Amino acid sequence: MRTEIETIVDETKQAISLLRRHLDWDSSLRRLDHLNNKAEDPTIWDNAAEAQALMRERQQLETSVASIRRLEQTIADSVELIAMGEEEGDPEIVSEAEKAIRDVKAEVAKRQIETLLSGEADANDTYVEVHSGAGGTESQDWAAMLERMYMRWAERSGMKVEVLEEHAGEEAGIKSATLLFKGHNAYGWMKTESGVHRLVRISPYDSQARRHTSFASVWVYPVIDDSIQIDVSESDVRIDTYRASGSGGQHINTTDSAVRITHLATGIAVSCQAERSQHKNKAKAWEMLRSRLYEEELKRREEAASATEASKSDIGWGHQIRSYVLQPYQLVKDLRTGVESTSPQDVLDGELDEFMEAALAHRVQGGGETAGDID
């Protein structure tokens, strides 16, 4: 009679085989050899943009190939350890090896979800904007909680985050923030977070300890490289400069180094105050504006391709996607997929993979009726 762990091993091997097939294993190995040879040619840097694109492709292929090899080796090593542990009567070795196998199964499942990230910008870095809703201190505190949640998720996912702009609230929290997430598939994962997020809790700012509902909006758009042409000139925009806000003291910038660029035709506005130099902030803001305009084009394409109104609504700015209830009970519920967690603190600490995976699958499959709301 087969044991549970034997079944898991067989299922995981089959799943890894599917990952190999999706990667087109033999072709990928040949392509990687070609890219490695190209990388050794010093003349490649005569064209910096082409060289950077090649190096990115090479790194992504190396990561994918090495990952599959590591998963296969871990399974093989763990099966041997189980046999050794059983032969020597050492249950601790068997237990550790079985845990390693289950960990591989979970990682393979996540990588299968990643195969859905096939959009033209999914592999790119991404900008994430967080904006507090109406409600003053309550919503500003909630926006800061969301900002922290995404930073913790990035940390767990091995991504780097830069704060490009942040406007502090009057008493607590933030009015808005713009973050840059750097990592493979950053946009592919984070695009599922665009929308309105709702918080229900007993307010720490209410002396009568009443329950409050707060809203904050998240907007995600990809960083675009030089291969994507977005034509926009200075005559199409309004450029404003202002004094960057800070935490006070030596960190306050006393010059008008912050830059806001507004695209006149669409009303899209972006801001950057991360650098002390107005010139650098302006350059970064131009990059952000081009990315926002590109994201608008992606959105139009997705709306045109959508088969149902339900799937269209998923990408709308005003669409409420998730509720986080801290009192009188504890529950986080995604309103698109129905995925729930009864541990809001873990979610707010960055445990978002389950929600992102379900939302990604929902989005790729064309969506469906939005799950019911919660009080």
Side-chain angles (χ1 to χ4, degrees):
M1 183 176 178
R2 294 178 57 79
T3 65
E4 178 191 3
I5 202 67
E6 287 174 332
T7 300
I8 291 175
V9 167
D10 286 347
E11 290 175 348
T12 304
K13 285 181 177 179
Q14 290 173 13
I16 293 174
S17 178
L18 289 175
L19 290 179
R20 271 176 167 257
R21 192 181 311 167
H22 184 271
L23 187 61
D24 195 355
W25 185 258
D26 292 337
S27 296
S28 292
L29 292 182
R30 287 193 295 271
R31 178 63 178 169
L32 185 56
D33 283 341
H34 172 72
L35 294 174
N36 285 335
N37 290 332
K38 291 275 287 184
E40 293 175 2
D41 182 356
T43 62
I44 188 178
W45 291 101
D46 293 346
N47 186 326
E50 182 180 320
Q52 289 171 359
L54 184 146
M55 298 305 283
R56 279 196 301 270
E57 182 187 359
R58 177 195 182 201
Q59 182 179 5
Q60 290 173 8
L61 265 180
E62 278 184 339
T63 299
S64 298
V65 168
S67 172
I68 289 178
R69 284 174 169 162
R70 175 179 55 79
L71 293 169
E72 290 175 330
Q73 191 62 51
T74 301
I75 286 289
D77 291 346
S78 298
V79 169
E80 287 186 13
L81 281 173
I82 288 174
M84 182 190 308
E86 289 176 343
E87 184 178 333
E88 297 179 358
D90 190 334
E92 187 172 338
I93 289 180
V94 173
S95 178
E96 288 179 1
E98 289 182 348
K99 180 182 182 303
I101 289 171
R102 289 188 169 90
D103 288 345
V104 168
K105 180 185 179 184
E107 184 175 346
V108 170
K110 182 175 181 179
R111 294 197 178 279
Q112 286 179 311
I113 291 291
E114 284 186 332
T115 63
L116 301 175
L117 299 175
S118 56
E120 60 183 286
D122 282 350
N124 294 19
D125 297 339
T126 191
Y127 298 109
V128 177
E129 294 182 11
V130 181
H131 297 270
S132 62
T137 301
E138 287 293 336
S139 63
Q140 290 165 13
D141 188 46
W142 173 221
M145 291 167 67
L146 284 176
E147 179 187 33
R148 176 187 178 276
M149 179 179 77
Y150 291 127
M151 286 181 160
R152 294 302 303 274
W153 174 81
E155 182 183 321
R156 291 170 179 267
S157 303
M159 296 187 187
K160 296 181 179 178
V161 182
E162 293 179 18
V163 179
L164 301 181
E165 183 194 38
E166 188 175 88
H167 288 288
E170 285 87 358
E171 298 179 32
I174 58 171
K175 293 180 180 177
S176 66
T178 303
L179 311 175
L180 171 59
F181 285 64
K182 294 183 175 182
H184 182 52
N185 286 332
Y187 175 66
W189 285 110
M190 282 300 302
K191 69 183 181 183
T192 63
E193 294 298 299
S194 275
V196 175
H197 297 245
R198 184 182 74 162
L199 172 70
V200 180
R201 65 171 176 175
I202 302 298
S203 170
Y205 305 101
D206 188 334
S207 60
Q208 299 181 44
R210 291 172 295 190
R211 188 167 70 150
H212 285 247
T213 299
S214 306
F215 295 89
S217 295
V218 176
W219 189 255
V220 180
Y221 50 103
V223 174
I224 59 175
D225 55 36
D226 293 336
S227 66
I228 300 173
Q229 297 299 321
I230 301 294
D231 295 325
V232 55
S233 66
E234 292 213 11
S235 62
D236 299 325
V237 304
R238 184 180 71 250
I239 301 176
D240 301 305
T241 59
Y242 58 97
R243 188 162 297 176
S245 61
S247 55
Q250 62 181 343
H251 302 293
I252 279 288
N253 197 328
T254 56
T255 62
D256 290 343
S257 62
V259 176
R260 179 184 296 107
I261 302 180
T262 304
H263 188 247
L264 299 176
T266 62
I268 290 174
V270 296
S271 304
C272 185
Q273 61 177 35
E275 307 289 344
R276 290 186 177 275
S277 160
Q278 183 185 112
H279 176 73
K280 290 181 179 179
N281 281 331
K282 184 177 179 181
K284 177 63 72 174
W286 270 111
E287 290 178 14
M288 293 166 65
L289 178 62
R290 291 176 62 242
S291 293
R292 279 291 300 273
L293 292 172
Y294 176 64
E295 194 272 344
E296 283 291 306
E297 175 59 27
L298 289 181
K299 186 170 75 171
R300 280 193 291 270
R301 291 184 202 172
E302 185 171 348
E303 287 175 331
S306 294
T308 65
E309 290 300 314
S311 58
K312 288 181 185 179
S313 66
D314 280 350
I315 57 175
W317 165 254
H319 186 62
Q320 186 176 316
I321 66 168
R322 194 175 301 141
S323 286
Y324 307 70
V325 180
L326 305 187
Q327 282 101 9
Y329 53 90
Q330 298 211 325
L331 181 69
V332 178
K333 182 173 182 178
D334 195 288
L335 307 179
R336 302 161 296 179
T337 64
V339 170
E340 297 181 353
S341 170
T342 55
S343 182
Q345 193 51 56
D346 289 340
V347 176
L348 293 172
D349 218 25
E351 290 191 7
L352 290 168
D353 285 354
E354 183 181 7
F355 291 95
M356 289 180 168
E357 289 168 9
L360 181 61
H362 173 84
R363 187 177 179 128
V364 170
Q365 292 161 8
E369 290 303 314
T370 302
D373 204 349
I374 54 179
D375 294 328

